[in-house]
Amino acid sequence: PRQIEAAIDRAGRGRKGIAALRQAMKAWTDPIKPGSAAEARLIRQLGSWGFTEPARQHVVRDRNGVPFARLDLAWPARLIGLEYDGVKFHNPRHIERDEARQSGLEHLGWKVAHADRFDLRAGDRRLRDELGALLRRAA
C-alpha cells in the first residue's frame, strides 16, 4: 500500500481513477488496520454487495460508557455488528469467552453477524442474506 500511495502522489492530483483507487485501498490504508487479510477481503466483499461502508474496529461501550468489546465491523447507528471469526482467535478454546461476549453485546441491544472463510467463497450468499436482513430490520 505504501508503494501505491507513493505512486499516486507522484502522479499528481486530478488523475482519472485516483478517487476509486484510494477507496479500494481504504481497507489497507486507514489508520486502524483490519485484523487480518481475510477481514480486508470481507470489507471489499461487503462493498461489492452494495452495503454501506461499516465502521472498522468499533468500540462498543456498556451503559456506563466503559469499553466492553471491539467489533471488527459495525453500523453503530443501527446497532449491527459483524465479526470475522478466524481460526486463530475463534476456536474451541475460546467458546465460553465468545459466547459471553455475544450475550453481553445482545444485552446492550446489538445484533452481531459472524463471518468465516466460507463466507468469502464466490457465490456464497449466507452472509449477504443474513446481514441484509439485519440491516433492513434496523432501518
Side-chain angles (χ1 to χ4, degrees):
R2 285 183 299 232
Q3 291 174 339
I4 294 171
E5 284 290 332
I8 291 170
D9 290 340
R10 285 191 306 272
R13 303 238 183 256
R15 303 279 302 219
K16 186 176 181 178
I18 295 294
L21 178 58
R22 286 193 192 279
Q23 181 65 28
M25 290 188 49
K26 203 169 189 179
W28 297 106
T29 60
D30 275 0
I32 298 175
K33 303 289 188 235
S36 67
E39 189 177 313
R41 287 194 310 274
L42 177 59
I43 292 166
R44 288 192 300 275
Q45 184 65 55
L46 293 172
S48 75
W49 288 336
F51 290 111
T52 58
E53 187 169 331
R56 297 180 185 135
Q57 306 301 318
H58 178 74
V59 176
V60 175
R61 297 180 182 279
D62 67 15
R63 295 192 188 344
N64 296 317
V66 176
F68 173 76
R70 187 183 71 200
L71 294 168
D72 294 329
L73 305 171
W75 293 264
R78 296 181 177 183
L79 297 180
I80 303 294
L82 178 57
E83 287 286 278
Y84 182 80
D85 295 339
V87 177
K88 182 176 180 181
F89 296 109
H90 303 278
N91 60 53
R93 292 184 326 172
H94 300 118
I95 288 174
E96 286 183 31
R97 178 201 67 192
D98 288 348
E99 287 178 350
R101 183 175 179 272
Q102 179 78 18
S103 178
L105 286 163
E106 289 172 0
H107 183 73
L108 293 169
W110 285 82
K111 302 287 184 206
V112 180
H114 293 267
D116 61 26
R117 62 189 172 100
F118 298 110
D119 293 305
L120 299 177
R121 295 181 298 194
D124 195 283
R125 298 175 52 141
R126 185 205 66 82
L127 178 62
R128 185 188 73 184
D129 294 347
E130 177 185 1
L131 192 55
L134 286 172
L135 289 167
R136 279 190 302 278
R137 273 187 245 138

